[in-house]
Amino acid sequence: MTQYIPNHVAIIMDGNGRWAKQRNQLRATGHRAGLKAVRKIVTHAAKRDIKVLTLYAFSSENWKRPANEVTALISLFIYALNREVKNLNKNNVRLNIIGDISKFNPNLQNLIIKAQHLTENNTGLILNIAANYGGRWDIVQSAKKIASHALDGKITLQDINEDYFGSVICMNDLPEVELVIRTGGEYRISNFLLWQCAYAELYFTDTLWPDFNQASFDEAINIFNTRERRFGDVLNEDLSC
Ligand code: FPP
């Protein structure tokens, strides 16, 4: 049977810390192992013809972690950008960072801008990395944009509707998120893509992110294919009851 391949898959990569703890290693080691899993899954998603892959790398709330862990995560992000961008570009991947990057140091901001610029015309997989991202932040920044359009007289109150809101939120130019995967055994969204996930299918697995591999990804797609997506409607066959 042919499978439906979701256009847009978003992943909450959880469990790096526990993976490291199980091995008596530092949490930073878990994050480094997490980066290896990122490499694997990006390659595999492109191979499976996923159009958009969005990864939650650093949430607005992750600043609350101990300073040494925040530093390790930011250093890893810088390392990944320095090391992987050429390769992503060679593989026709378009890289976007979503989130409030103004809070990062100028070196990282510069790397992000350069990486986005280098890959902007690529036509293969679109890879979004959510960094200093929060779903509530995203909704607030959209509301601010709309308010400024209204103050500038470009729109009136009547123009503000779901479509208008959807046209200013992060990733408004990309296909809808169809599948959200969360690794690491927790059952929550943790302030990820609150607006964009409205009708996404949610898939939770106990697998810790560094152990998540090509087969785990395929399993998530298989389960997605067993879901009945109704978008608030009813199926024709249910109308007879
Ligand atoms: C959650 O695990 C993971 C993160 C907060 C960071 C995710 C980062 C990576 C996968 C590596 C870097 C990726 C890029 C794109 C540079 P956790 O620390 O909350 O694990 P725990 O729940 O077991 O403590």
Side-chain angles (χ1 to χ4, degrees):
M1 221 175 64
T2 52
Q3 256 197 337
Y4 177 79
I5 300 296
N7 287 309
H8 190 162
V9 178
I11 309 185
I12 302 173
M13 309 179 287
D14 196 15
N16 295 345
R18 277 163 288 159
W19 185 93
K21 197 171 176 194
Q22 283 170 1
R23 288 160 180 78
N24 278 326
Q25 306 267 7
L26 296 173
R27 293 178 62 81
T29 310
H31 295 313
R32 279 199 294 277
L35 180 60
K36 286 191 185 151
V38 168
R39 236 179 253 135
K40 243 185 246 172
I41 295 307
V42 169
T43 311
H44 191 61
K47 196 170 139 209
R48 295 284 331 247
D49 276 334
I50 303 286
K51 290 192 177 57
V52 189
L53 180 69
T54 300
L55 304 177
Y56 206 9
F58 191 88
S59 76
S60 322
E61 289 72 36
N62 283 153
W63 298 105
K64 293 182 201 153
R65 294 191 175 203
N68 62 343
E69 185 171 352
V70 170
T71 305
L73 278 167
I74 289 178
S75 308
L76 193 62
F77 196 17
I78 293 174
Y79 167 83
L81 285 170
N82 276 322
R83 209 187 125 120
E84 304 292 344
V85 169
K86 263 195 200 146
N87 200 27
L88 291 173
N89 190 40
K90 204 173 84 197
N91 286 288
N92 200 23
V93 174
R94 192 170 110 201
L95 181 69
N96 282 322
I97 307 303
I98 59 166
D100 180 7
I101 68 161
S102 69
K103 296 281 181 295
F104 291 130
N105 65 54
N107 174 34
L108 177 51
Q109 288 186 46
N110 205 18
L111 279 173
I112 289 172
I113 292 163
K114 273 192 178 154
Q116 291 183 147
H117 184 62
L118 179 72
T119 63
E120 70 190 352
N121 293 321
N122 289 345
T123 54
L125 175 75
I126 298 171
L127 173 62
N128 300 306
I129 303 290
N132 195 24
Y133 177 86
R136 289 180 176 176
W137 165 83
D138 196 357
I139 291 169
V140 169
Q141 63 103 20
S142 304
K144 279 186 177 165
K145 277 185 199 160
I146 294 173
S148 91
H149 295 170
L151 288 171
D152 292 348
K154 289 185 192 143
I155 56 165
T156 66
L157 210 54
Q158 282 66 36
D159 294 317
I160 303 171
N161 54 26
E162 288 188 18
D163 284 344
Y164 198 82
F165 216 101
S167 75
V168 293
I169 201 120
C170 275
M171 309 197 294
N172 58 69
D173 52 337
L174 300 179
E176 284 271 302
V177 178
E178 290 185 288
L179 170 63
V180 178
I181 298 172
R182 183 178 185 137
T183 64
E186 313 277 7
Y187 302 95
R188 51 178 174 260
I189 289 292
S190 298
N191 200 18
F192 193 35
L193 307 175
L194 298 178
W195 175 278
Q196 296 86 343
C197 285
Y199 279 102
E201 293 298 321
L202 307 179
Y203 173 80
F204 299 100
T205 170
D206 288 339
T207 305
L208 303 176
W209 174 250
D211 293 326
F212 193 82
N213 59 21
Q214 293 89 337
S216 328
F217 188 85
D218 288 346
E219 176 63 4
I221 305 285
N222 291 344
I223 299 291
F224 173 82
N225 270 268
T226 66
R227 303 274 176 89
E228 191 181 75
R229 306 192 72 209
R230 292 195 295 273
F231 303 98
D233 202 347
V234 284
L235 292 179
N236 276 342
E237 68 234 39
D238 293 337
L239 287 173
S240 53
C241 349

